[in-house]
Amino acid sequence: MQTEKEGEDDVSPEEYVALSDFTGSGSDQLSFSRGDRLLVHTKPSSEWWWAELQEVKGYVPASYLRKSTAEEEEDVSLEDPWQDEEYFGSYGTLRLHLEMLSDKSRTEAYRQVILSNSASLKNKVVMDLGCGTGIISLFCAQLAQPSLVYAVEASSMADYTRQLVKQNGSEEVVSVLQARAEEIELPERVDVLVSEWMGNSLLFEFMVESVLLARDRWLREGGVMWPSSAALTLVPCQAHSYYDEKMAFWERPYGLDFTPLQPLAQQEFFTKPKFSHLVEPADCLSSPCDVISLDMYTLQIKDLEEIKGQFQFCVEKPGVFHGFTTWFTAHFESLETGSPPVELNTGPHFKPTHWKQTLFMLDNPVSVCAGDSISGSIVLHRNPVWRRHMTITLHWNVNGSTEETENCKANISSTLFFLPYN
Ligand code: 6LC
């Protein structure tokens, strides 16, 4: 990362207020506390700004700051940290539902769960949280014989869902409730809570919080959660084409040396995750490793604030370590003896899903050999202001060498400021 920025004195800095505490990682990020007033000199990317606090300069995450004028502060207090208007607005259109329904691995996994547990679902009460167009509820009604399915959907799609339920002759069984799951009132508790809540890197969007609230309020003692557990998986990988496209490009475009732009490119392209990345199995430098596992029966909302994991990879072939790729797996326990649990795996060894995978680039690539070890830790830190967002930080070293610091150690803080549905 770059530590000085030229030309910043040309424009007068703007004052911003910190919305919450932030601890910088690395020497070029500032740490600050809620209420601190920072001077923002430049905005090299939409995520990271170059700012000053008590005469010390460094990068700061833009989402933690708000303009300091009284007028702006008022606006911020009116803003919804869940961005529900925008969120449910986007689920009120067909684009995202088409994307989700066209994802066969995803939709078939839920169909399989219902089908292979149809005997156990007989006469059961089910809640389908965030039912969208109602596909899971309709699977329940048509492939099993539940006594009732509460199909809960907050977006305006619910109007159409009601029509779809009727059109498919399931209105006796499926009851569509247009409301946020947090606000519903039911006459009874449910036996099964099914939901498709997983986001990029498993948790982005944090719809899981709504599922946990509904579990605590509406799932009967001994009731079933689908998914029953989920895991976030990590692998060190090569990313030659992405690296070439965003970084090596500046080496000699049109025969000219544009390398002074590389620190800017690093800042702009590599400090946030690349969503919708498809990693080739051949670009995985080692076997993947589950770094975080969530048990949907015991997970608490407060646990979501900070989730930590560790990893140790053994490099299996020589290559260039460009970054880490993450994805998730969701597990659906079986209620029936003899039928295996269903698994939805969004990793590179399975058919690509609409989530694809997420790539986190290192500051600098590292050449590695077979037998090298890459170990470290991952922290998912939920944004204290914007509740659907989080920062993912990876600390790592190769062969335990903390002394070879510059090349072999990096921190990657990546915050999703624009949700993937935008
Ligand atoms: C699923 C998202 C669907 O769940 C989408 O239709 C959205 O409007 C609905 N939804 C999300 N949160 C709630 C809630 N608290 N109450 C009611 N409906 C909700 C796909 N998204 C992910 N898998 N991330």
Side-chain angles (χ1 to χ4, degrees):
M1 272 192 192
Q2 155 188 49
T3 49
E4 281 179 32
K5 301 202 60 69
E6 288 175 18
E8 67 191 32
D9 297 334
D10 299 345
V11 281
S12 53
E14 295 170 273
E15 195 181 60
Y16 280 75
V17 178
L19 288 167
S20 78
D21 298 353
F22 175 75
T23 308
S25 57
S27 56
D28 52 3
Q29 292 181 7
L30 287 183
S31 296
F32 50 81
S33 308
R34 184 190 164 100
D36 278 350
R37 288 178 180 267
L38 293 99
L39 290 175
V40 174
H41 289 277
T42 54
K43 298 177 179 173
S45 74
S46 52
E47 288 79 22
W48 291 96
W49 293 348
W50 184 249
E52 178 179 345
L53 177 65
Q54 290 155 2
E55 294 177 14
V56 180
K57 288 180 184 169
Y59 284 103
V60 294
S63 73
Y64 281 58
L65 303 181
R66 275 296 170 263
K67 263 284 189 50
S68 76
T69 63
E71 203 181 294
E72 288 276 345
E73 267 173 19
E74 253 173 46
D75 282 346
V76 166
S77 64
L78 292 176
E79 272 183 51
D80 170 15
W82 283 88
Q83 299 162 293
D84 274 354
E85 203 177 310
E86 186 192 356
Y87 183 77
F88 291 122
S90 65
Y91 280 118
T93 64
L94 266 191
R95 187 175 63 89
L96 291 169
H97 295 289
L98 179 60
E99 189 182 22
M100 293 188 287
L101 291 171
S102 311
D103 179 343
K104 284 238 171 72
S105 309
R106 164 202 180 265
T107 309
E108 287 290 350
Y110 281 84
R111 201 177 93 91
Q112 191 55 40
V113 173
I114 306 304
L115 193 59
S116 63
N117 289 285
S118 60
S120 307
L121 285 170
K122 192 167 170 130
N123 297 329
K124 293 286 173 2
V125 179
V126 179
M127 184 194 299
D128 173 7
L129 195 161
C131 69
T133 51
I135 188 82
I136 301 173
S137 298
L138 288 168
F139 287 155
C140 287
Q142 308 220 329
L143 304 173
Q145 291 165 280
S147 60
L148 191 56
V149 181
Y150 293 107
V152 184
E153 173 55 48
S155 79
S156 58
M157 191 52 62
D159 278 340
Y160 292 93
T161 309
R162 228 172 258 124
Q163 291 179 39
L164 298 177
V165 166
K166 203 160 179 219
Q167 192 77 11
N168 288 282
S170 296
E171 70 270 34
E172 300 286 296
V173 177
V174 180
S175 164
V176 179
L177 308 174
Q178 182 176 2
R180 296 181 75 241
E182 290 81 345
E183 287 153 12
I184 52 169
E185 289 298 336
L186 302 180
E188 61 192 329
R189 288 190 178 235
V190 303
D191 301 297
V192 178
L193 173 48
V194 59
S195 181
E196 192 277 84
W197 53 264
M198 300 78 72
N200 288 307
S201 291
L202 185 60
L203 287 174
F204 277 121
E205 290 180 50
F206 283 91
M207 183 177 161
V208 66
E209 176 165 327
S210 308
V211 174
L212 298 181
L213 275 168
R215 176 198 68 189
D216 294 345
R217 195 149 175 231
W218 296 113
L219 187 66
R220 74 158 169 80
E221 193 78 26
V224 173
M225 295 290 289
W226 279 332
S228 319
S229 63
L232 182 72
T233 308
L234 190 73
V235 75
C237 65
Q238 308 194 117
H240 284 289
S241 54
Y242 188 61
Y243 184 83
D244 289 350
E245 182 191 321
K246 302 293 186 208
M247 188 57 71
F249 174 85
W250 308 106
E251 279 162 19
R252 209 100 201 120
Y254 304 96
L256 300 167
D257 183 351
F258 270 37
T259 53
L261 293 179
Q262 282 184 324
L264 198 56
Q266 196 280 321
Q267 187 61 33
E268 198 167 322
F269 303 121
F270 294 173
T271 57
K272 58 185 172 185
K274 177 183 182 269
F275 295 103
S276 290
H277 178 69
L278 280 174
V279 64
E280 292 286 336
D283 280 329
C284 296
L285 293 166
S286 134
S287 305
C289 160
D290 284 355
V291 284
I292 284 160
S293 297
L294 305 181
D295 177 334
M296 292 304 291
Y297 290 96
T298 55
L299 182 66
Q300 299 295 315
I301 291 171
K302 63 174 172 13
D303 302 338
L304 300 171
E305 294 303 320
E306 190 173 73
I307 306 181
K308 294 180 178 173
Q310 300 213 312
F311 51 84
Q312 178 146 31
F313 296 104
C314 179
V315 174
E316 286 161 12
K317 57 186 168 193
V320 184
F321 174 27
H322 283 114
F324 291 98
T325 297
T326 66
W327 63 86
F328 70 82
T329 307
H331 308 272
F332 303 79
E333 70 177 296
S334 169
L335 310 179
E336 297 184 11
T337 40
S339 80
V342 174
E343 184 185 276
L344 168 59
N345 190 320
T346 64
H349 300 93
F350 292 79
K351 199 171 151 216
T353 66
H354 77 289
W355 288 280
K356 300 185 184 162
Q357 291 110 32
T358 307
L359 172 66
F360 298 82
M361 292 293 277
L362 307 184
D363 283 359
N364 298 296
V366 182
S367 289
V368 289
C369 310
D372 281 348
S373 98
I374 298 172
S375 53
S377 62
I378 181 168
V379 183
L380 275 51
H381 188 246
R382 191 169 180 189
N383 191 301
V385 182
W386 304 107
R387 303 306 279 158
R388 294 196 186 275
H389 303 246
M390 67 179 167
T391 302
I392 295 182
T393 308
L394 290 150
H395 294 271
W396 57 271
N397 65 65
V398 177
N399 297 331
S401 59
T402 39
E403 41 306 341
E404 292 172 53
T405 43
E406 289 322 313
N407 279 340
C408 296
K409 226 176 142 208
N411 300 328
I412 306 167
S413 291
S414 302
T415 303
L416 181 65
F417 292 91
F418 299 106
L419 294 170
Y421 48 79
N422 279 330

